[in-house]
Amino acid sequence: MTSPRRPVTPSKVLMLTATLALGACASVPRQPYTAAEAQAAEVAGIPNARAFADASVATLTAMMAAPGARARPFAYLALSGGGGDGAYGAGVLKGWSEAGTRPEFSLVSGVSTGALTAPFAFLGPAYDPVLEEIYTSGVASTLVKDPNLVNVVFGSGLFGDGRLRDLVGRYVTPDLLAAVAAEHAKGRRLLVVTTNLDSKRAMIWNMGVIAASGAPNAAALFRDVLTASASVPAVFPAQLLDVEAAGHGFQELHVDGSVVTPVFTVPQAVIANGRGHVSAPTKADIYVLMNGRIEPDFELVPDDTLSIVKETVATGSQARSRASLAATYAFARANRIGFHLTYIDGAAPRTTAAKGFDTAYMRSLHRIGYEKARSGTAWQDTVPVAPIVASTLASR
């Protein structure tokens, strides 16, 4: 017997029609460039501002490790994507500060909503109120007001052209850049990951290099990279970033960093080299703050196209997150690096709001993260085992 189909509402028909229309709609022509130029491209006036995430070990090590880093304790904070779930991470940081156990991070990386959090986490507890404002005051919920399907068709994203960029620009001030530059000069590093759609590769941006460059385009680039990292395809518009190769100027198309990697911990080239290829500091710890759920759980999915697409994407992201965490954990163990993980567990509330940008929901997540970190229960030193594996092990 065939199960009855759920009714398809007019809004879902419109959404599906708009999605299918994407391939047929004309867009503004872009300046062409070659694969060789893509490989050699740099930001004009700001050398060494970025590298592909799959670059050589030597290139990535030079970006991530400052001279003399091995002589002092090393604390690395990796912030994941997760939309409005970034409120959890903001709460963890605040509670951690108040507990008096939060280290000064040698290195901070951010992807998607983690990229928006990263500069403030990097600069320390004095910026906790800024993160609390972003995620709990209601300002973040304005990002997903008044969706417009016409915007999707013409490439501006469901929630408007420039809305996310304007919000980021409100907080990327000259004072912020000066503070990031000062910490970079001390040997600390701030990294943000975007997805270069033209090259189909993740790109790592050294935000301290950008902030310290003194280039006239530094503030705009800093803002645009953060925006690009959080620009979920079809939800927010992709970002065109100006670069050049051998005097040829062109624009690359960048979107959400979590398209490739939900969280950036250790580069794949470094992990592949395994033990013996990394000279860790005397004391090293990596803290992975997942702004989302990583444990698979049961939820009946409506039998309609949009729900299936949404849950398929979420399932893929969750699986990539678990794989990345498992690889990072194994690498940390092999190299005697402390591993610490926090994430949103099954006891936390859920929301049906777009990308989780519901103010009441974000406030509840912020409170949960805050209370866990304040009480010292936020962090665990292992990666959770999938339920089916756990039950198998328990039966033996």
Side-chain angles (χ1 to χ4, degrees):
M1 178 177 178
T2 303
S3 60
R5 293 272 176 176
R6 291 178 176 267
V8 179
T9 64
S11 63
K12 288 180 178 179
V13 171
L14 285 173
M15 177 69 82
L16 182 57
T17 301
T19 302
L20 294 175
L22 283 174
C25 289
S27 58
V28 177
R30 295 177 56 202
Q31 174 71 30
Y33 66 101
T34 66
E37 288 175 320
Q39 184 65 33
E42 289 193 349
V43 178
I46 313 180
N48 304 315
R50 79 229 189 110
F52 283 113
D54 55 4
S56 69
V57 172
T59 296
L60 296 174
T61 300
M63 172 182 280
M64 298 175 69
R70 293 184 180 88
R72 56 183 182 268
F74 182 87
Y76 177 12
L77 174 67
L79 298 157
S80 83
D85 286 358
Y88 174 76
V92 167
L93 289 166
K94 180 182 178 182
W96 203 1
S97 298
E98 294 189 11
T101 55
R102 175 176 165 179
E104 180 181 76
F105 303 113
S106 312
L107 173 64
V108 175
S109 73
V111 179
S112 197
T113 197
L116 304 184
T117 304
F120 308 104
F122 178 72
L123 293 176
Y127 287 81
D128 289 345
V130 177
L131 285 175
E132 186 170 8
E133 175 184 322
I134 292 172
Y135 286 102
T136 69
S137 70
V139 65
S141 66
T142 64
L143 293 173
V144 291
K145 283 185 178 178
D146 306 319
N148 188 335
L149 292 174
V150 175
N151 286 341
V152 178
V153 175
F154 291 101
S156 295
L158 184 62
F159 296 103
D161 190 6
R163 195 180 299 187
L164 175 60
R165 191 170 180 267
D166 290 344
L167 177 63
V168 172
R170 183 185 308 180
Y171 296 98
V172 177
T173 63
D175 287 344
L176 178 80
L177 259 68
V180 170
E183 295 306 311
H184 180 79
K186 296 176 184 177
R188 300 177 63 217
R189 296 292 179 260
L190 171 62
L191 308 178
V192 164
V193 180
T194 64
T195 298
N196 183 326
L197 275 187
D198 297 327
S199 295
K200 312 296 187 293
R201 299 159 73 186
M203 182 73 76
I204 305 172
W205 297 81
N206 191 327
M207 306 303 280
V209 165
I210 296 171
S213 68
N217 57 330
L221 179 62
F222 197 102
R223 175 197 61 211
D224 292 347
V225 169
L226 293 182
T227 304
S229 184
S231 292
V232 180
V235 177
F236 300 115
Q239 300 298 305
L240 288 165
L241 303 183
D242 294 320
V243 295
E244 65 177 22
H248 177 208
F250 51 91
Q251 292 182 312
E252 299 170 338
L253 194 65
H254 288 254
V255 297
D256 192 339
S258 64
V259 169
V260 175
T261 175
V263 62
F264 178 75
T265 54
V266 182
Q268 287 299 313
V270 175
I271 288 179
N273 277 333
R275 188 171 180 175
H277 291 269
V278 172
S279 179
T282 303
K283 180 177 181 352
D285 291 277
I286 181 169
Y287 298 87
V288 186
L289 199 166
M290 298 297 297
N291 293 301
R293 306 166 197 271
I294 63 173
E295 296 175 302
D297 56 352
F298 176 80
E299 181 180 8
L300 192 65
V301 178
D303 187 12
D304 63 70
T305 300
L306 293 180
S307 295
I308 291 170
V309 170
K310 174 178 174 291
E311 292 305 321
T312 299
V313 171
T315 300
S317 177
Q318 195 177 76
R320 291 197 307 277
S321 294
R322 292 196 301 273
S324 177
L325 290 172
T328 301
Y329 174 68
F331 178 84
R333 286 284 301 272
N335 289 278
R336 298 183 180 179
I337 297 171
F339 177 87
H340 315 274
L341 170 67
T342 187
Y343 58 96
I344 300 174
D345 59 33
R350 293 181 177 274
T351 181
T352 58
K355 299 305 295 179
F357 288 113
D358 173 78
T359 301
Y361 170 73
M362 287 187 284
R363 286 174 179 167
S364 66
L365 282 187
H366 186 276
R367 182 174 62 254
I368 289 170
Y370 168 80
E371 291 173 351
K372 287 173 68 173
R374 182 70 178 81
S375 65
T377 60
W379 299 98
Q380 61 185 58
D381 59 7
T382 59
V383 177
V385 178
I388 189 170
V389 177
S391 61
T392 300
L393 293 175
S395 66
R396 290 179 178 177

